[in-house]
């Protein structure tokens, strides 16, 4: 077997965690059509293929417009269940052992879908997949940053009766012009309620947005964060704190954050000693789930076995799981690395 097919097999088989996944972004066109039909919602596309052909993005906003449009087929608890279950079935087949998924309640409540309908469907699928496959999970509620902080606060109020099912709050949608500081009060409130915090920062936005996420929103992870390299002091801070970055390589290429995968800065981030993780963001829109993100990145950047394993170890280290479980996965990955090195030497 060639070196690269060995690495592909390793990537598929190694235990890994996904920490940056918008559940609405896992809506495949086939399921979008099936749900639209049963909910009798008209779609402007004549076919599944026509939907896929529309997935040509030139920046974050051009993607978000079509992502919010697709999500409009989701109405009932069953729809959110089917969406989440389809994602988890795929993750089981890729040996993903743990997921921390985002959901965007405002995308649904603003259309009249009750918060409760959304979270009940998602949560039931997470529980069922945990039973069926042993995949553990956390759930992260994201506020839409193009809307007001008052709207985010109302969403947090709606969420509090379900606090037992929610581990953290996050911040997503249109980054430029919507800095983290806009959401300081609602993040303070969420932390007072015992929730952890994360935020998208430094995807399209400047390093200053990453500083704000750290200092004002007191995040446990930065989602994306790839623009940190423009600020050496920030890189040093991220390295010293071992602040995780949930990087999404295929997303970054599709949204033109980098012109091509060979120019992605993931390997440089790793070499600077940052806690980089690989994630899929919105796999139905960006052309690949978690394994494909690892595979495409490994190939384009010529990552070594040790670097691939380091990324998987980072995914557990950066997760919100208990320390002893993290350590067990990290030991398993260290053993895989030793095994792999002994075979090639
Ligand atoms: N919502 C879904 N995917 C997103 C991304 N990559 N950035 C910001 N908001 C998002
Ligand atoms: Zn994202």
């Amino acid at each position: 077997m060639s070196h690269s097919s060995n690495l592909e097999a390793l990537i598929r088989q190694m235990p890994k965690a996904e920490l940056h996944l918008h559940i609405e972004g896992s809506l495949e066109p086939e399921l979008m059509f099936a749900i639209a039909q049963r909910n009798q919602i008209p779609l402007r596309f004549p076919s599944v293929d026509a939907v896929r052909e529309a997935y040509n993005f030139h920046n974050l906003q051009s993607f978000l417009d079509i992502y919010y449009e697709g999500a409009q087929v989701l109405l009932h608890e069953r729809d959110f269940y089917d969406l989440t279950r389809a994602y988890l079935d795929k993750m089981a087949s890729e040996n993903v052992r743990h997921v921390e998924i985002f959901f965007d309640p405002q995308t649904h409540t603003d259309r009249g879908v009750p918060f409760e309908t959304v979270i009940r469907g998602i949560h039931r699928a997470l529980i069922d997949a945990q039973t069926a496959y042993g995949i553990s999970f956390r759930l992260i509620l994201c506020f839409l940053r193009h809307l007001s902080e008052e709207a985010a606060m109302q969403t947090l109020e709606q969420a509090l009766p379900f606090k037992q099912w929610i581990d953290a709050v996050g911040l997503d949608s249109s980054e430029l012009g919507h800095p983290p500081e806009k959401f300081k009060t609602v993040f303070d409130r969420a932390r007072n309620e015992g929730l952890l915090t994360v935020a998208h920062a430094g995807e399209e936005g400047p390093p200053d947005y990453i500083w704000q996420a750290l200092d004002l929103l007191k995040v446990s992870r930065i989602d994306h964060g790839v623009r940190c390299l423009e600020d050496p002091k920030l890189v040093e801070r991220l390295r010293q704190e071992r602040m995780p970055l949930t990087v999404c390589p295929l997303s970054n290429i599709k949204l033109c954050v980098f012109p091509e995968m060979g120019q992605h800065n993931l390997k440089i981030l790793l070499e600077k000693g940052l806690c980089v993780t690989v994630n899929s963001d919105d796999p139905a829109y960006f052309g690949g789930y978690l394994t494909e993100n690892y595979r495409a990145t490994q190939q384009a950047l010529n990552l070594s076995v040790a670097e691939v394993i380091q990324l998987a170890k980072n995914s557990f280290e950066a997760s919100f799981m208990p320390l002893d479980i993290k350590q067990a996965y990290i030991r398993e990955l260290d053993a895989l690395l030793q095994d792999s090195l002994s075979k090639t030497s």
Side-chain angles (χ1 to χ4, degrees):
M1 235 193 327
S2 71
H3 182 61
S4 72
S5 66
N6 269 338
L7 255 166
E8 282 194 37
L10 175 76
I11 286 170
R12 181 160 284 277
Q13 288 159 12
M14 68 183 180
K16 47 202 171 287
E18 170 136 83
L19 307 178
H20 184 155
L21 178 283
H22 303 263
I23 197 62
E24 294 89 349
S26 71
L27 179 58
E28 291 287 344
E30 288 79 5
L31 187 59
M32 188 191 298
F33 262 72
I35 295 177
Q37 195 158 36
R38 76 189 186 208
N39 289 345
Q40 301 193 315
I41 292 179
L43 289 175
R44 69 179 163 98
F45 299 100
S47 67
V48 164
D49 287 342
V51 176
R52 284 218 167 80
E53 277 161 28
Y55 291 176
N56 271 315
F57 313 116
H58 47 273
N59 57 21
L60 174 59
Q61 192 60 50
S62 63
F63 154 70
L64 290 169
D65 292 343
I66 206 159
Y67 160 85
Y68 294 130
E69 184 181 350
Q72 291 182 14
V73 304
L74 303 166
L75 291 184
H76 307 296
E77 183 178 325
R78 177 186 167 197
D79 305 336
F80 292 94
Y81 179 92
D82 289 350
L83 170 69
T84 308
R85 186 64 199 248
Y87 164 69
L88 293 164
D89 288 349
K90 280 205 193 67
M91 293 307 91
S93 76
E94 296 188 8
N95 207 20
V96 174
R97 304 274 188 88
H98 178 77
V99 298
E100 303 194 351
I101 69 174
F102 300 124
F103 72 120
D104 287 345
Q106 288 159 293
T107 299
H108 315 297
T109 53
D110 285 1
R111 298 180 289 116
V113 178
F115 182 92
E116 176 172 354
T117 299
V118 180
I119 197 166
R120 283 193 188 283
I122 294 171
H123 185 258
R124 190 158 54 83
L126 287 165
I127 293 286
D128 285 359
Q130 182 169 47
T131 306
Y133 309 122
I135 298 177
S136 53
F137 64 86
R138 297 288 185 273
L139 186 55
I140 305 173
L141 182 163
C142 273
F143 302 119
L144 298 182
R145 68 201 307 160
H146 68 274
L147 301 177
S148 68
E149 186 179 44
E150 293 70 47
M153 195 65 89
Q154 281 175 14
T155 303
L156 181 60
E157 296 293 342
Q158 291 175 324
L160 287 178
F162 298 92
K163 204 169 79 176
Q164 269 58 38
W165 291 354
I166 300 170
D167 301 283
V169 297
L171 192 61
D172 67 359
S173 192
S174 321
E175 186 180 10
L176 289 169
H178 302 285
E181 63 185 349
K182 176 177 163 188
F183 295 92
K184 183 181 182 308
T185 307
V186 69
F187 270 63
D188 280 346
R189 176 86 209 281
R191 284 199 323 283
N192 279 335
E193 291 287 345
L195 297 168
L196 295 167
T197 63
V198 298
H200 284 53
E203 177 186 20
E204 286 189 342
D208 181 48
Y209 285 21
I210 302 177
W211 286 106
Q212 289 183 24
L214 296 170
D215 291 333
L216 304 179
L217 306 186
K218 314 236 185 280
V219 296
S220 300
R221 296 195 292 252
I222 297 288
D223 295 314
H224 293 293
V226 291
R227 284 193 61 190
C228 71
L229 280 187
E230 295 166 31
D231 182 342
K233 281 208 176 71
L234 176 59
V235 172
E236 186 49 22
R237 162 108 183 250
L238 297 168
R239 192 190 64 75
Q240 274 179 4
E241 293 185 5
R242 216 155 161 71
M243 174 61 57
L245 304 183
T246 63
V247 175
C248 306
L250 286 172
S251 164
N252 291 156
I253 304 313
K254 291 283 180 188
L255 302 187
C256 307
V257 173
F258 298 95
E260 57 179 31
M261 198 61 97
Q263 292 184 50
H264 198 289
N265 67 10
L266 179 139
K267 191 179 166 103
I268 300 171
L269 296 169
L270 261 184
E271 286 167 354
K272 294 209 180 272
L274 301 186
C275 185
V276 182
T277 65
V278 168
N279 305 275
S280 73
D281 208 6
D282 303 280
Y285 293 87
F286 300 148
Y289 285 78
L290 188 57
T291 296
E292 178 57 18
N293 271 273
Y294 273 95
R295 197 202 59 75
T297 310
Q298 185 282 320
Q299 192 172 42
L301 302 180
N302 198 21
L303 300 182
S304 66
V305 174
E307 286 169 323
V308 166
I309 297 265
Q310 183 66 49
L311 289 166
K313 285 168 64 175
N314 291 350
S315 76
F316 291 108
E317 178 188 341
S319 75
F320 296 144
M321 286 194 286
L323 187 59
D324 55 334
I325 300 181
K326 290 187 190 189
Q327 286 170 337
Y329 280 122
I330 289 169
R331 276 196 300 273
E332 192 179 336
L333 283 157
D334 278 331
L336 261 181
L337 176 60
Q338 289 316 312
D339 193 46
S340 165
L341 293 180
S342 68
K343 275 184 191 143
T344 50
S345 60

